[in-house]
Amino acid sequence: MATVFSLIMEGELPAAIVHEDDLCAVIMAKDPLAEGHALVVPRAEIDHWIEVDDDLLAHLMAVARRVGAAQQRAFGAARIGVIVAGYEVPHVHVHVIPTSSMAELNFANASPDAPLEALERAARLIRDDLEPMS
């Protein structure tokens, strides 16, 4: 059965998408911890991040770094947090979160079901500042 992320990448579910390439997509979190919270998701349905091969893991982190730099510029964040938790969806995803403090990196603070329009606006801000992916 396809995961929610696969369904999004196949265009079967709505989402705000920041970036897509042959290996991954960057999707705005529907329950963000902060404005601009994005997920870097491999196209391959891999359940646990320790099962990701080295080349794909390096690509995911390189994309996360570029997205994080764009987030920092777009949202004026003090830091960009990165979390790989793996409990919400059985499909690897790297949370990339603009933050002002460590306290903001707490899933208890998630904003449930953010409006798609707000996610699209945040995605556009990131895309507008995103350096080209190689």
Side-chain angles (χ1 to χ4, degrees):
M1 183 171 175
T3 69
V4 66
F5 295 139
S6 291
L7 294 173
I8 288 169
M9 288 183 278
E10 292 167 7
E12 295 182 31
L13 289 176
I17 298 176
V18 173
H19 164 80
E20 291 186 275
D21 62 35
D22 292 344
L23 300 176
C24 71
V26 179
I27 302 165
M28 299 308 295
K30 75 173 190 69
D31 298 331
L33 298 184
E35 183 181 22
H37 179 172
L39 308 172
V40 180
V41 184
R43 291 194 179 280
E45 289 184 355
I46 303 167
D47 181 26
H48 197 299
W49 74 270
I50 63 172
E51 298 167 352
V52 177
D53 72 54
D54 291 345
D55 291 338
L56 179 56
L57 186 59
H59 181 75
L60 297 176
M61 293 310 292
V63 170
R65 182 180 59 219
R66 287 183 182 100
V67 167
Q71 288 170 319
Q72 194 165 35
R73 290 185 296 267
F75 300 104
R79 297 272 181 186
I80 302 298
V82 173
I83 299 172
V84 181
Y87 290 101
E88 308 90 7
V89 178
H91 188 151
V92 172
H93 53 289
V94 179
H95 294 263
V96 186
I97 310 159
T99 64
S100 296
S101 75
M102 185 71 167
E104 293 176 349
L105 296 176
N106 182 340
F107 289 103
N109 298 332
S111 297
D113 292 317
L116 186 55
E117 302 79 39
L119 300 178
E120 287 286 359
R121 184 176 54 252
R124 188 171 40 259
L125 289 170
I126 296 167
R127 271 193 307 272
D128 287 351
D129 207 316
L130 195 60
E131 295 175 2
M133 305 275 179
S134 55

